[in-house]
Amino acid sequence: MTVIQQLCGDRMKIIMFFPLLLLVCSVSATETETAVQQPCPQDIHAVLRELTASLAVQNERITVLQKENQEQAAKLESQKIETDKLMQQLQVKQVAFSASLLDQGSRETGPFNTEITLVFKRVVTNIGNAYNPHTGIFTAPVRGVYHFVWSLYGDGNIAAGGVLFRNGEHIFIAYEHQTSGGVSTSNGASLLLEVGDQVSVRLFVGARLNDSQNHHNTFSGHLIFPM
Ligand SMILES: *[C@@H]1O[C@H](CO)[C@@H](O)[C@H](O)[C@H]1NC(C)=O
């Protein structure tokens, strides 16, 4: 939009108008002197009609642009969500923990007549803090394949055994029973976990573990790759 001052007869008017009006009302440089003396164009209504038509066209363009803009914004938003998801995966791709049963002393655990979750209290590694040493439960922070290993130790006579659980599901057992001496048993599993899935080791019914400062009983887990 342009602002010009135009002399119409003996009156000065200030008119704000589109370049279109400039074409209708303006005069060439050589005609300026005489044009100043001429009255305003008679077809001001025609000019206004043209302006109105032009405005309608502009409005249409604006509507199209606004629509395009909204589409672009929606596209950007969904790209941002995708990027955030990838960033989140990258940030939590480092998950590894290792813990042993007792934080101090020597003690037997079990036997019990129900399965109890073993709380491995002595944490030596907990990258990503996905393992909780107060509950013994590992919670998957990202969807992916994880590998778990658990190793248990007991005193003959009574079995040593523990079951790997994903949520409420019995996955594998590590179990050993012999008539005397120390027994050791271990197992491993690779599991596809969804975010929030919980993995733990439960002492097998009737089994007993021995642990000491030597840290015989261990539970470890690692994220192999996110999916
Ligand atoms: C298990 O613990 C009991 C009690 O502390 C002990 O008598 C026994 O020798 C231990 N067994 C082994 C194999 O460490």
Side-chain angles (χ1 to χ4, degrees):
M1 204 178 277
T2 316
V3 177
I4 68 150
Q5 294 178 330
Q6 188 180 21
L7 284 171
C8 282
D10 57 348
R11 295 180 63 197
M12 191 200 284
K13 288 181 182 173
I14 298 171
I15 306 172
M16 293 178 72
F17 62 118
F18 285 99
L20 180 67
L21 192 57
L22 184 64
L23 285 175
V24 176
C25 283
S26 72
V27 288
S28 72
T30 53
E31 289 171 326
T32 305
E33 296 305 314
T34 50
V36 165
Q37 302 305 321
Q38 286 170 358
C40 278
Q42 295 304 303
D43 56 352
I44 189 75
H45 291 292
V47 171
L48 283 173
R49 274 195 298 278
E50 278 188 62
L51 263 181
T52 306
S54 168
L55 266 177
V57 171
Q58 299 295 335
N59 278 341
E60 244 170 72
R61 280 188 194 153
I62 287 170
T63 306
V64 169
L65 286 172
Q66 277 174 339
K67 197 163 164 260
E68 277 177 14
N69 211 8
Q70 277 164 9
E71 283 166 6
Q72 293 291 333
K75 219 183 213 173
L76 272 177
E77 184 57 29
S78 67
Q79 277 171 356
K80 190 179 172 294
I81 289 167
E82 273 301 302
T83 308
D84 286 352
K85 212 168 107 185
L86 284 173
M87 286 301 289
Q88 207 191 353
Q89 282 191 350
L90 283 174
Q91 275 163 12
V92 294
K93 80 172 179 191
Q94 294 176 326
V95 181
F97 77 93
S98 251
S100 68
L101 201 55
L102 299 184
D103 47 3
Q104 57 184 6
S106 299
R107 194 158 38 85
E108 292 171 39
T109 302
F112 300 110
N113 54 17
T114 58
E115 278 168 338
I116 59 133
T117 300
L118 289 168
V119 181
F120 295 83
K121 294 191 187 70
R122 182 172 177 266
V123 173
V124 291
T125 306
N126 199 2
I127 308 299
N129 276 311
Y131 173 72
N132 185 333
H134 305 292
T135 61
I137 294 170
F138 171 86
T139 305
V142 64
R143 184 176 195 269
V145 174
Y146 296 76
H147 188 68
F148 297 92
V149 180
W150 66 112
S151 193
L152 307 171
Y153 177 76
D155 188 37
N157 299 323
I158 295 182
V163 179
L164 187 77
F165 270 82
R166 171 175 55 199
N167 302 321
E169 178 192 0
H170 173 130
I171 303 292
F172 299 150
I173 190 169
Y175 183 87
E176 180 65 67
H177 188 193
Q178 61 184 37
T179 48
S180 64
V183 292
S184 184
T185 178
S186 63
N187 211 336
S190 289
L191 301 175
L192 170 59
L193 301 181
E194 302 296 333
V195 173
D197 274 356
Q198 297 191 325
V199 175
S200 61
V201 176
R202 298 185 195 173
L203 182 67
F204 194 58
V205 173
R208 187 177 70 186
L209 305 177
N210 270 42
D211 205 37
S212 68
Q213 292 96 324
N214 289 325
H215 311 298
H216 295 275
N217 298 274
T218 62
F219 179 35
S220 299
H222 317 92
L223 171 63
I224 306 174
F225 49 83
M227 281 187 71

